């Protein structure tokens, strides 16, 4: 009934959260899992924040399950938006890497990658031309039925997983812009 205590106890010797609780196989530390734990708990845990920042700044492997760095950056940006203020220290590095990914037509790769990139830029309040080109690209690539196509998000044991619903939800999140914030940024 107290999942927070179970989560807080599920750490390695360095204070980093393990991926699996009571696993039947070898456990590992995963950057996406650790960013999600910060988001869920709303706690600034120095060992976790330092490890996430080191992964960003030194391009260290962050996950065997989530291969796209945009997924990792999205989870960091989400935790930052939730109140983990120390994660702002890597925002410039993340924004720079994202802007380098942008194509001439405004996309950051596939539909999912574009939605993730726009969300990250928004969560870090980076409402610059790259952000608006990404928003325009999302709007242009929406299907007639209102969705965006399926893209891989998570790698399981033998397959990659994603869904039209997940891509569409992240695209809609990216398009739900706070007009007051955008007006303030201008």
């Amino acid at each position: 009934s107290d999942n927070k205590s179970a989560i807080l106890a599920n750490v390695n010797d360095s204070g980093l959260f393990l991926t699996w609780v009571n696993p039947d196989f070898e456990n590992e530390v995963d950057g996406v899992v650790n960013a999600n734990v910060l988001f869920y708990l709303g706690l600034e845990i120095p060992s976790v924040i330092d490890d996430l920042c080191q992964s960003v700044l030194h391009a260290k492997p962050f996950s065997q399950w989530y291969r796209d760095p945009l997924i990792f950056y999205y989870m960091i940006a989400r935790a930052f938006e939730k109140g983990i203020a120390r994660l702002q220290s890597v925002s410039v590095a993340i924004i720079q890497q994202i802007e380098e990914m942008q194509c001439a037509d405004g996309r950051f790769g596939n539909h999912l990658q574009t939605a993730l990139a726009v969300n990250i830029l928004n969560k870090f309040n980076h409402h610059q031309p790259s952000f608006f080109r990404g928003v325009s690209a999302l709007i242009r690539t929406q299907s007639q039925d209102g969705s965006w196509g399926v893209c891989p998000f998570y790698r399981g044991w033998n397959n990659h997983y994603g869904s039209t619903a997940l891509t569409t939800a992240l695209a809609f999140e990216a398009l739900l812009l706070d007009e007051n914030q955008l007006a303030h940024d201008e």
Side-chain angles (χ1 to χ4, degrees):
S1 63
D2 181 11
N3 67 346
K4 291 182 181 179
S5 294
I7 292 168
L8 288 167
N10 193 42
V11 295
N12 68 7
D13 293 339
S14 300
L16 303 175
F17 293 96
L18 297 168
T19 300
W20 312 105
V21 179
N22 298 322
D24 292 331
F25 43 88
E26 188 175 334
N27 216 336
E28 81 275 343
V29 171
D30 184 287
V32 172
V33 169
N34 275 265
N36 281 332
V37 169
L38 293 181
F39 172 79
Y40 178 69
L41 296 176
L43 298 174
E44 293 219 6
I45 302 170
S47 58
V48 175
I49 294 168
D50 292 344
D51 187 69
L52 294 174
C53 292
Q54 290 301 308
S55 292
V56 170
L57 297 174
H58 300 290
K60 289 177 21 187
F62 56 87
S63 177
Q64 70 172 328
W65 308 105
Y66 302 91
R67 296 297 177 105
D68 191 329
L70 288 171
I71 295 168
F72 180 50
Y73 299 157
Y74 172 79
M75 300 308 175
I76 289 172
R78 212 170 65 126
F80 166 74
E81 184 181 51
K82 175 90 180 258
I84 310 302
R86 282 193 51 215
L87 291 173
Q88 185 171 11
S89 67
V90 292
S91 65
V92 171
I94 290 173
I95 290 165
Q96 181 180 3
Q97 290 177 42
I98 288 172
E99 287 186 331
E100 290 171 4
M101 295 175 187
Q102 193 166 38
C103 303
D105 65 359
R107 293 177 303 113
F108 293 89
N110 63 36
H111 304 302
L112 178 67
Q113 291 168 319
T114 301
L116 290 167
V118 170
N119 273 304
I120 295 161
L121 295 173
N122 189 43
K123 290 175 187 317
F124 284 130
N125 295 312
H126 186 76
H127 301 124
Q128 300 300 316
S130 58
F131 169 79
F132 292 105
R133 286 193 311 270
V135 168
S136 294
L138 274 178
I139 292 168
R140 280 194 321 274
T141 59
Q142 187 176 21
S143 299
Q144 285 292 98
D145 69 359
S147 70
W148 283 265
V150 62
C151 300
F153 185 81
Y154 170 83
R155 184 180 80 81
W157 297 111
N158 295 314
N159 295 308
H160 288 81
Y161 300 95
S163 69
T164 299
L166 176 62
T167 303
T168 300
L170 287 164
F172 277 130
E173 178 187 4
L175 297 175
L176 292 173
L177 307 175
D178 181 346
E179 293 180 25
N180 295 325
Q181 178 65 42
L182 293 176
H184 180 267
D185 289 341
E186 292 174 353

